[in-house]
Amino acid sequence: MMTVLDAPLPELIERLGRAVADAQHALDVNSLDIAKRMSERTVDLGDGQLWSLLALGFTPTFYAFAEATLEAKLTFTIRESTEFSVGGGATGGMAGIFSVTVNAEYSRKYGFEVQGASSIAARLVSLPPPARLHQLL
């Protein structure tokens, strides 16, 4: 599974485009399937004649993607810290012997953090049947 941090922007946009195209195709096939079922389904209105739902004016709803939005947010944090300390002490004795101790500490720390979030939104709108289908009805 690819995360938003791993995928380059062009690939994310391509995947969104393909997903919208695949979903649009599925919506179109579904609407045509419903139209076929509406033509096969008949109703007797009491006049001795069987009417299909399409003949009575019912039409399937067609949908289209009006827009699709891909939003990606990335946050990078880089930290650097340096610590330096010096300490010591001296001792002396009666015989003229002295000792000195020196403590020195140095440290440098680095930190790198990446956070990411993404969202995809799509807006669908209903459309009238295609003009040719409407003429056939």
Side-chain angles (χ1 to χ4, degrees):
M1 182 176 163
M2 182 174 290
T3 66
V4 70
L5 299 176
D6 297 332
L9 185 59
E11 187 175 337
L12 290 173
I13 294 170
E14 178 185 350
R15 285 181 175 200
L16 176 62
R18 288 180 186 224
V20 168
D22 291 344
Q24 183 64 60
H25 175 73
L27 289 171
D28 293 342
V29 167
N30 184 62
S31 294
L32 291 172
D33 182 52
I34 291 171
K36 182 180 177 193
R37 286 187 278 153
M38 288 176 133
S39 71
E40 295 167 350
R41 171 71 187 215
T42 57
V43 177
D44 182 357
L45 298 177
D47 60 358
Q49 202 172 4
L50 294 176
W51 298 85
S52 74
L53 295 176
L54 289 176
L56 293 172
F58 291 94
T59 57
T61 304
F62 286 81
Y63 294 95
F65 283 92
E67 67 182 62
T69 304
L70 171 65
E71 185 176 302
K73 296 178 185 178
L74 299 175
T75 304
F76 296 95
T77 304
I78 300 174
R79 288 183 299 277
E80 176 184 358
S81 66
T82 303
E83 294 179 18
F84 182 72
S85 65
V86 176
T91 60
M94 300 284 285
I97 301 174
F98 292 95
S99 68
V100 177
T101 59
V102 177
N103 296 326
E105 291 183 21
Y106 176 80
S107 67
R108 189 171 214 163
K109 298 177 185 176
Y110 295 95
F112 182 75
E113 185 178 317
V114 180
Q115 295 178 345
S118 64
S119 64
I120 298 175
R123 187 170 65 94
L124 290 170
V125 294
S126 62
L127 301 173
R132 181 70 179 137
L133 177 61
H134 192 66
Q135 288 174 354
L136 292 173
L137 298 176

